[in-house]
Amino acid sequence: MKQALAIPAALAAALWLTPALAQSPSHDGHGMSGMDMPGMKDSPAAEPSDAKPDAMQGMDHSGHTMTMDASPMHAMPMKSDGAIPQSPPPPAAQSGPAHAADAFYPDGEMAHAREMVTHEMGGLKTTVVMVDRLEAQTGKGGGSWAWEGALRTGGDIDRLWIKTEGEGELDGGIDDSEVQALWGHAIGPWFDLQAGVRQQFMPGPDRTQLSVGVEGLAPYMFDISAEAFVSTQGEFTAKIGAEIDQRLTQRLILQPRVEANLSAQDVPEIGLGAGVTSLQTGVRLRYEFRREFAPYVGVEWQKQFGRTADYTRADGGNADRVVALVGLRAWF
Amino acid sequence: MLNPTLHRRALLGGALAAGGGAAISALFPQWARAQTAHLPAGGADALTGEEIALSIARTPFTLGGRTGSATTVNGTLPGPLIRLREGQDVRLSVTNHLDVDSSIHWHGLLVPFQMDGVPGVTFPGIRPNETFRYGFPIRQSGTYWYHSHSGGQEGTGLIGPIVIDPAAGERVHADREMIVMLSDWSFMTPMEILRKLKAQPDYFNYQQQAWFEAPSGKPMSVADKLKWGRMRMSPSDIADVTGATYTYLVNGQGPDANWTGLFRPGERVRLRVINSSAMTIFNLRIPGLPLTVVAADGSDVKPVETDEIQIGVAETYDLIVTPDDRAYTLFAESVDRSGYARGTLAPRAGMTAPIPPLRKPPLLTMKDMGMGGMAGMAGMSGMDHAMNHGADGGMKMHGSMSMRDPANAPGVALTPGVDMIAPMPVDRTGDRGLGLDGVKHRVLVYTDLEAPEPRHDISPPTREIVVHLTGNMERYMWSFDGRRFSEIVEPIRLARDERVRFKLVNETMMTHPIHLHGFLFDLVNGKGDRLPKKHTVNVLPGGFVAFDLTADEPGDWAFHCHLLLHMMSGMFNVVTVRPLDGGAA
Ligand SMILES: [Cu+2]
């Protein structure tokens, strides 16, 4: 356990994204450069008249912290008539009972209701089952099928995730599959840290792994996930994926997607070579009959690299192929 | 004077015929059917007097041929009109026939806190098969409403109007009055709507800026797509829940049922408009009729004429109109323009007027992102002008112009529930509501509202409390100062009788109608000793609004966004006023 937590390169590689992605894009300091936002011309306050370059320059040069009082900004129209102190409440405000209603209603009743209202205003839990991909693929070397889905349940900050994915031959059984049970915790406005256990089922020996990763929405609306795994055999592997929804019409959505797998070492018994083991990149075009029900068609390039490819070929498999696919994205 | 009863019956027949076979079910109270009576509005089933009994239950509700289950009061949606008189006492016995807890909150009424009807804050709630007896004196007049404060029930129909006649008579004469209660109805429960938004926040938005579709009429350039993409936000994020699931109702009736209010040509008609929606901000207009606003949130204002009003959830406006001998369409477009509520004002039953087309959905602008301070700077008008003259393609924005700089909102906890901090929020009380900037006709803005008489009860505040309205669109989280109520936040503490200023700063890209229970506060809109009184205030995106109040109502008071699902996602807190009355029991 101890040595497993001394996570080296693979995990670091997967997690390098965390701080960058969990933060606002603005921390590059240029978050809003190019201010001609759409619709701005409609603003009644924006009459093109006597623009004062001086004021603008003040902003240009004020460097990193153009705070309110250090810039011409405080000249902005505020209706506060003079300064009203933001002082703490007077002592009288702290007097009396914590909950005024306790004086009118029997003890237990208010406590119970208070618990309910506290839960109701922000503490609600939700459960969603997602089928991200359920698809048939055809290409050189025969047909196959693949799935990827998850169940998530919990509140806004902490959630339980059960994830599964896998693939198999259209006319045969399941080749590879995995299930993950993860605890997810929001580590920023857009990203969750996820940690737990992954169980892989493979033609060779199965693998049980610790899994740590991040998942969320990156700037420019990329859905990103990066996971690192360490198996009970001490092997390190990682997986990085990105996809983006391009809305062509209100219901027609084009989704480019890429996923790469990495391994820190050769593991011949499960057909893995060191380095980038495989890459899948493709594009799917789906139609949302409802948000929850969207069939799609697509094409994907599936390639393995280096020794991983050698293992596959030696096994009679296909290490480099392009497939056409048809599938369904759904959630409920 | 007409015989109201007779006339109503005749009219009902007409409405049935006009409804195209869509039978008006018994679910509507009389006040909500086509209205004919002269003052006062209501009909025989308006609830008046000192003893009023209300009964909450599940009732089938039919709309557009589909039947769902509504939460009703006395079997109707909307609930019965409660008509009271300033100075009287009232006792309301509310019996809960649901199998879950329920409650009724008297929205905008000045009541002792323990009668305010918020479970867990002011009382324990009403358990199944129990009766709770509310009792309080009526200390005000005007147009108000009531709704459940439990389990999203206001989103399933538990809403109704309250009209309080002033002891001294109305300031403004009218020959006739009508209640116009706007609401939104979905066959999906609020909880299910919330679940879908947590799964996919743009679930209901079918007006997005796609590559080959630009419902707003302005295809986005690649550069704009990149800018918005970099922020991980969408300029078409106007309403969370839309016409994709909502049918918008006037007095409980869909656009096709065409609720009709009857008048005699030349009469002065007082419309008591209540936005009792769960999630819908409306743009209200009556093409061809100027609207004279005479009251806002129940309190009289100096009459001001306008052509369109953006009415936030839970706000009320009283309007005087003087229609000619023709029909007029009462048109309430949802703020994202994905649908509308519609009724008709007509001299005779069965008449209709043209229904205006829905306008193109608006897009968020730089000002909505909290960059309004830029435009507000002296000489900074014409942003894009100045911008285009910038040496290398525009200004470089540094430091506090970033979209999540803690220095721009020191009071905010930068939790995962906060996806942006408006870099330069401005006072937007003088701004038109979202999407109405370019409209040719007059649009009501908050700075149009002015108390009719100079007020002597207004004194300068001694303390300012800044509350940031925060959220994360991607996770569908909403909060004050970055914390959801479920995180056990500190209440906002006031000392009894102190005069405080609340400054609400909107750090998000959505308009939030913020409501404080128990008070009518003074909206700080530059009107000196004539600040208008309100109970709910729309805070436009990237803007701030201030209001002053004297903490003369001891107790605990709910303070929240009145978009139901924002509240239920955490945009809620409690304002405490201490000390309580001596002994407090
Ligand atoms: Cu809100």
Side-chain angles (χ1 to χ4, degrees):
Chain A
M1 226 33 199
K2 260 261 155 68
Q3 85 212 44
L5 287 173
I7 296 168
L11 178 54
L15 289 181
W16 70 271
L17 289 157
T18 309
L21 296 179
Q23 298 302 316
S24 147
S26 59
H27 286 258
D28 62 8
H30 295 73
M32 287 308 301
S33 60
M35 301 274 298
D36 47 324
M37 285 298 160
M40 214 196 105
K41 292 189 186 77
D42 292 348
S43 166
E47 295 148 27
S49 55
D50 53 338
K52 234 182 228 156
D54 283 358
M56 298 299 296
Q57 305 223 331
M59 303 193 49
D60 232 347
H61 294 263
S62 58
H64 303 296
T65 49
M66 193 187 58
T67 53
M68 290 302 203
D69 42 6
S71 74
M73 287 306 140
H74 70 264
M76 84 178 74
M78 290 205 198
K79 288 224 170 61
S80 319
D81 340 311
I84 303 170
Q86 288 176 25
S87 43
Q94 304 283 352
S95 69
H99 304 290
D102 286 348
F104 289 86
Y105 303 101
D107 283 357
E109 286 194 54
M110 278 312 293
H112 170 77
R114 227 165 5 246
E115 225 165 83
M116 280 184 46
V117 73
T118 305
H119 173 73
E120 199 171 287
M121 307 300 170
L124 297 169
K125 308 231 182 317
T126 52
T127 300
V128 182
V129 176
M130 290 162 281
V131 181
D132 292 314
R133 296 188 297 137
L134 178 59
E135 66 196 26
Q137 308 175 342
T138 59
K140 206 171 44 160
S144 55
W145 66 291
W147 78 88
E148 184 179 343
L151 174 148
R152 84 167 206 220
T153 184
D156 299 320
I157 302 295
D158 290 288
R159 291 167 179 170
L160 172 71
W161 290 81
I162 307 290
K163 295 184 178 181
T164 176
E165 64 178 85
E167 59 194 29
E169 305 301 318
L170 269 184
D171 51 0
I174 293 167
D175 293 343
D176 288 299
S177 67
E178 64 173 63
V179 179
Q180 294 197 65
L182 305 168
W183 164 78
H185 180 75
I187 51 170
W190 293 283
F191 274 83
D192 283 0
L193 179 71
Q194 296 173 344
V197 179
R198 175 164 84 161
Q199 180 68 33
Q200 278 185 307
F201 307 94
M202 291 177 291
D206 293 345
R207 280 291 185 276
T208 304
Q209 298 154 324
L210 280 177
S211 162
V212 181
V214 290
E215 178 174 336
L217 187 69
Y220 303 104
M221 309 302 267
F222 284 96
D223 281 305
I224 303 246
S225 66
E227 297 162 278
F229 310 100
V230 53
S231 74
T232 49
Q233 314 293 312
E235 303 137 354
F236 290 94
T237 52
K239 181 158 77 177
I240 297 179
E243 59 187 47
I244 185 169
D245 278 354
Q246 288 295 313
R247 203 171 284 280
L248 304 184
T249 71
Q250 300 303 319
R251 292 173 187 272
L252 191 64
I253 291 155
L254 189 72
Q255 184 202 62
R257 178 173 182 277
V258 59
E259 183 183 308
N261 286 279
L262 302 90
S263 176
Q265 64 284 304
D266 275 352
V267 194
E269 60 188 276
I270 54 173
L272 281 186
V276 176
T277 56
S278 66
L279 183 83
Q280 299 171 4
T281 182
V283 58
R284 287 167 178 75
L285 181 67
R286 71 173 189 264
Y287 186 82
E288 293 184 344
F289 285 95
R290 298 171 43 136
R291 293 284 191 231
E292 300 94 329
F293 182 84
Y296 61 80
V297 295
V299 60
E300 189 169 82
W301 179 45
Q302 303 168 344
K303 182 164 173 59
Q304 295 181 345
F305 300 93
R307 206 161 289 176
T308 309
D310 297 341
Y311 292 134
T312 299
R313 280 191 217 100
D315 223 32
N318 208 327
D320 184 353
R321 65 173 196 163
V322 173
V323 295
L325 50 89
V326 54
L328 175 71
R329 183 180 190 271
W331 60 271
F332 51 89
Chain B
M1 190 117 169
L2 288 169
N3 175 330
T5 317
L6 244 186
H7 201 94
R8 191 177 305 117
R9 190 175 304 134
L11 180 271
L12 249 183
L16 275 169
I24 292 181
S25 74
L27 207 47
F28 298 115
Q30 284 185 19
W31 70 262
R33 298 180 194 200
Q35 290 173 22
T36 64
H38 281 230
L39 284 171
D45 62 355
L47 302 175
T48 61
E50 301 214 338
E51 290 285 348
I52 289 172
L54 301 173
S55 163
I56 299 169
R58 301 293 294 181
T59 310
F61 178 70
T62 300
L63 188 73
R66 198 171 159 197
T67 300
S69 177
T71 315
T72 58
V73 176
N74 293 5
T76 67
L77 185 175
L81 168 67
I82 297 175
R83 183 143 207 148
L84 305 169
R85 174 160 288 276
E86 186 181 4
Q88 76 163 91
D89 287 334
V90 67
R91 281 176 301 279
L92 302 121
S93 309
V94 180
T95 305
N96 176 14
H97 293 293
L98 305 176
D99 54 9
V100 293
D101 283 14
S102 192
S103 59
I104 290 184
H105 160 62
W106 320 100
H107 185 102
L109 294 203
L110 305 172
V111 299
F113 85 91
Q114 70 273 21
M115 294 296 157
D116 190 50
V118 182
V121 178
T122 73
F123 85 137
I126 312 173
R127 301 285 159 76
N129 297 312
E130 284 187 359
T131 298
F132 184 85
R133 286 169 63 83
Y134 295 85
F136 44 85
I138 299 299
R139 300 154 47 193
Q140 64 204 120
S141 63
T143 306
Y144 301 91
W145 63 296
Y146 59 88
H147 60 83
S148 170
H149 231 288
S150 304
Q153 289 160 8
E154 73 194 79
T156 59
L158 206 164
I159 52 174
I162 301 173
V163 174
I164 303 171
D165 295 309
E170 292 288 357
R171 177 186 301 274
V172 176
H173 163 78
D175 302 302
R176 182 188 297 275
E177 65 168 48
M178 301 172 185
I179 291 162
V180 177
M181 197 159 198
L182 306 171
S183 65
D184 44 21
W185 172 267
S186 170
F187 287 97
M188 219 181 269
T189 65
M191 293 305 291
E192 180 60 10
I193 291 174
L194 182 60
R195 191 183 76 92
K196 291 197 189 309
L197 289 169
K198 296 250 187 205
Q200 186 179 345
D202 63 355
Y203 182 93
F204 297 101
N205 186 353
Y206 286 94
Q207 300 184 140
Q208 301 192 47
Q209 294 290 95
W211 283 99
F212 302 111
E213 274 181 24
S216 303
K218 295 178 190 171
M220 264 175 116
S221 65
V222 172
D224 282 343
K225 275 188 203 296
L226 289 175
K227 267 171 214 156
W228 284 93
R230 177 153 56 187
M231 294 189 295
R232 293 169 271 201
M233 289 179 190
S234 159
S236 64
D237 186 5
I238 307 293
D240 302 334
V241 192
T242 71
T245 188
Y246 275 148
T247 303
Y248 301 108
L249 311 180
V250 171
N251 294 338
Q253 297 170 49
D256 298 338
N258 191 24
W259 172 89
T260 302
L262 295 186
F263 60 83
R264 282 191 297 206
E267 277 181 331
R268 283 166 60 87
V269 180
R270 183 183 190 120
L271 303 175
R272 296 181 181 269
V273 182
I274 302 165
N275 184 352
S276 56
S277 296
M279 287 296 289
T280 308
I281 296 167
F282 285 107
N283 296 324
L284 175 79
R285 61 200 154 112
I286 306 176
L289 265 187
L291 314 170
T292 302
V293 180
V294 297
D297 289 3
S299 299
D300 285 347
V301 295
K302 202 165 129 187
V304 54
E305 199 176 281
T306 192
D307 298 304
E308 183 161 12
I309 299 174
Q310 187 162 97
I311 177 168
V313 174
E315 289 188 304
T316 74
Y317 284 103
D318 286 25
L319 314 173
I320 300 279
V321 295
T322 311
D324 292 331
D325 190 7
R326 52 163 275 210
Y328 299 85
T329 294
L330 190 149
F331 194 67
E333 182 187 58
S334 70
V335 68
D336 70 318
R337 297 164 190 183
S338 60
Y340 59 85
R342 168 243 185 171
T344 296
L345 303 183
R348 287 169 296 283
M351 294 176 72
T352 58
I355 300 174
L358 285 166
R359 295 170 294 193
K360 286 181 166 55
L363 286 178
L364 295 169
T365 67
M366 194 177 98
K367 206 171 188 184
D368 303 317
M369 295 187 305
M371 305 247 168
M374 301 296 301
M377 282 164 55
M380 274 300 297
S381 50
M383 284 294 294
D384 38 14
H385 178 75
M387 232 42 91
N388 296 340
H389 284 255
D392 53 347
M395 294 187 294
K396 295 281 186 287
M397 287 300 153
H398 291 286
S400 68
M401 278 311 282
S402 86
M403 294 303 284
R404 203 166 176 267
D405 187 338
N408 284 334
V412 171
L414 275 187
T415 60
V418 180
D419 64 6
M420 67 173 277
I421 296 291
M424 273 178 210
V426 288
D427 186 335
R428 298 194 68 179
T429 44
D431 284 10
R432 295 172 168 203
L434 214 55
L436 296 179
D437 277 345
V439 168
K440 296 280 189 289
H441 53 240
R442 293 167 295 184
V443 176
L444 187 79
V445 295
Y446 279 157
T447 45
D448 291 337
L449 301 176
E450 188 172 356
E453 307 286 344
R455 288 171 46 200
H456 307 294
D457 57 339
I458 294 181
S459 53
T462 53
R463 186 159 75 90
E464 183 177 65
I465 296 167
V466 180
V467 179
H468 301 268
L469 321 182
T470 46
N472 181 337
M473 197 56 210
E474 193 55 32
R475 296 183 188 275
Y476 205 74
M477 294 171 70
W478 301 99
S479 51
F480 289 132
D481 296 328
R483 300 230 182 260
R484 296 160 296 155
F485 187 63
S486 56
E487 295 170 73
I488 324 277
V489 295
E490 263 286 286
I492 297 169
R493 297 182 193 278
L494 308 183
R496 192 161 173 179
D497 293 327
E498 76 167 322
R499 179 86 178 163
V500 293
R501 167 159 303 174
F502 278 79
K503 182 178 171 190
L504 310 178
V505 187
N506 190 343
E507 312 287 358
T508 78
M509 290 206 199
M510 304 204 93
T511 302
H512 301 281
I514 302 294
H515 172 49
L516 173 62
H517 290 221
F519 296 88
L520 296 174
F521 49 69
D522 303 309
L523 185 67
V524 178
N525 68 349
K527 297 295 183 197
D529 61 355
R530 292 183 177 219
L531 301 183
K533 283 180 188 288
K534 280 184 110 303
H535 51 56
T536 304
V537 63
N538 267 337
V539 190
L540 296 180
F544 63 78
V545 166
F547 62 77
D548 295 348
L549 68 86
T550 304
D552 51 7
E553 306 279 356
D556 293 351
W557 301 101
F559 172 66
H560 60 94
C561 179
H562 223 289
L563 296 175
L564 177 66
L565 302 182
H566 288 194
M567 178 180 82
M568 294 179 74
S569 298
M571 214 180 217
F572 184 98
N573 203 348
V574 172
V575 171
T576 68
V577 179
R578 298 289 187 277
L580 304 176
D581 286 322

